[in-house]
Amino acid sequence: MKYYVEVKPNSKQNSIEEKDGTLLVRVHAPAREGKANEAVVKLIAKHFHVAPSRVSLIHGERGRKKVVEVVV
């Protein structure tokens, strides 16, 4: 299943909330060297109770707006 994601790096804590059909993902990791992307994948995997290898970043590797696919 594909999800539209908006990422807020450098947040105080990690969290996920749904807003207008988009997942708003806050991660503590900085937006450098792919660290925020790694944190997003791990957090989404935990949220959907799947392994991180089941979550793929499809679009938006360098932006705050992304599309991820979760294989359940």
Side-chain angles (χ1 to χ4, degrees), residues 3-61:
Y3 294 94
Y4 292 98
V5 177
E6 186 173 329
V7 178
K8 303 235 180 207
N10 297 319
S11 295
K12 290 187 179 189
Q13 61 185 12
N14 295 333
S15 67
I16 295 179
E17 69 178 80
E18 188 172 347
K19 182 179 178 183
D20 299 329
T22 300
L23 294 178
L24 180 57
V25 180
R26 293 180 178 94
V27 292
H28 183 69
R32 280 183 254 130
E33 300 171 1
K35 292 184 182 196
N37 287 339
E38 290 175 22
V40 166
V41 167
K42 288 179 184 177
L43 189 59
I44 289 175
K46 184 177 179 182
H47 180 76
F48 288 105
H49 305 288
V50 297
S53 62
R54 313 277 285 168
V55 179
S56 301
L57 184 62
I58 295 178
H59 182 73
E61 185 176 313

